[in-house]
Amino acid sequence: MTDHKSFKRRVRARMERTGESYTAARAHLIPAPVPTVDERPASAGTGAATMRDRLSDARVAEATGHGYDFWFALLDSWEGTTLGHTRIAAHLVEEHGLDGWWAQSVTVAYEQERGLRLPGQKKDGFAISVSKTVNVPVERLFAAFADPEVRARWLPTPVEERTTKENRRFTADLPEDTRMAATFQAKDEHKSAVGIEHTRFTDADRAARWKGAWRSHLADLANLLEE
């Protein structure tokens, strides 16, 4: 097994030589795995789970009295595919007594099932989410977002801060008229986690590329804070 500290020194030596990020330099020093015959290219999309994946049929039936198939058939008979999200959700609340949250969930599931909405797609575009646990106190993790000088060391993109709630939440505008919100949680005195939602993408492919970029940026963040 490669000695961890020795490997990190090799990575940082390459960073100084090439100007690459920690993640990029590390990738060049780790041999790529040999693909197997069963491997296939990743499918297009944001990688987001469908509503059916997130909420089981049993949970929907327990909360609303019926499973997905009942609600989908009912909405089909009402010509739901022609009416739009707001009218569908309002119909489920007003005519069938569903709680607002469950009406929204059933509506999204219906739109996905009928090809009206892709997983990860919201009213204002597509969205992706990523998270990372880092071995530092939550104060340091939050500061890595809120302090522009620290942020520039791991996030190489323009950021226009919108709102902050110390050690809890950070929101900002990013390029391409997109927006991000980061929420922070202390795991213990020496470990914390950040969850990021990046929204308002105009297409699923661009959202998926940003999801990969965020994973790389957060890996750089962890290496910066934990070194």
Side-chain angles (χ1 to χ4, degrees), residues 33-215:
V34 178
T36 70
V37 294
D38 293 327
E39 289 180 333
R40 298 288 186 274
S43 59
T46 65
T50 66
M51 188 60 72
R52 269 189 183 269
D53 292 332
R54 293 166 54 195
L55 291 173
S56 69
D57 192 73
R59 284 191 64 191
V60 172
E62 180 181 2
T64 69
H66 301 284
Y68 284 116
D69 290 342
F70 172 89
W71 292 115
F72 293 172
L74 182 147
L75 292 173
D76 281 340
S77 68
W78 192 56
E79 298 184 348
T81 57
T82 68
L83 299 175
H85 180 93
T86 300
R87 287 189 64 189
I88 294 172
H91 178 74
L92 291 173
V93 172
E94 295 167 4
E95 301 299 326
H96 300 281
L98 267 66
D99 170 83
W101 190 89
W102 284 102
Q104 292 286 341
S105 299
V106 169
T107 301
V108 170
Y110 177 73
E111 291 174 316
Q112 291 174 349
E113 193 86 359
R114 297 297 183 259
L116 305 175
R117 177 195 294 252
L118 293 173
Q121 187 176 9
K122 297 187 175 184
K123 183 172 63 175
D124 58 354
F126 291 87
I128 56 96
S129 58
V130 291
S131 61
K132 185 72 174 177
T133 298
V134 186
N135 293 315
V136 296
V138 70
E139 294 81 5
R140 282 195 63 196
L141 183 57
F142 174 81
F145 283 76
D147 185 324
E149 292 186 5
V150 179
R151 187 175 63 234
R153 296 175 63 187
W154 63 271
L155 184 60
T157 193
V159 174
E160 184 176 342
E161 180 181 318
R162 291 177 58 85
T163 63
T164 62
K165 188 173 183 179
E166 190 172 3
N167 303 330
R168 298 282 300 278
R169 186 172 175 85
F170 175 89
T171 68
D173 290 328
L174 270 65
E176 303 173 57
D177 196 31
T178 61
R179 186 168 294 171
M180 61 87 73
T183 55
F184 304 85
Q185 179 183 10
K187 297 288 189 177
D188 58 37
E189 291 183 1
H190 307 291
K191 181 182 292 187
S192 54
V194 59
I196 294 171
E197 184 179 38
H198 194 164
T199 61
R200 302 175 68 179
F201 292 103
T202 57
D203 65 82
D205 287 343
R206 188 59 183 154
R209 288 194 291 273
W210 259 99
K211 186 162 188 169
W214 270 116
R215 287 171 175 160

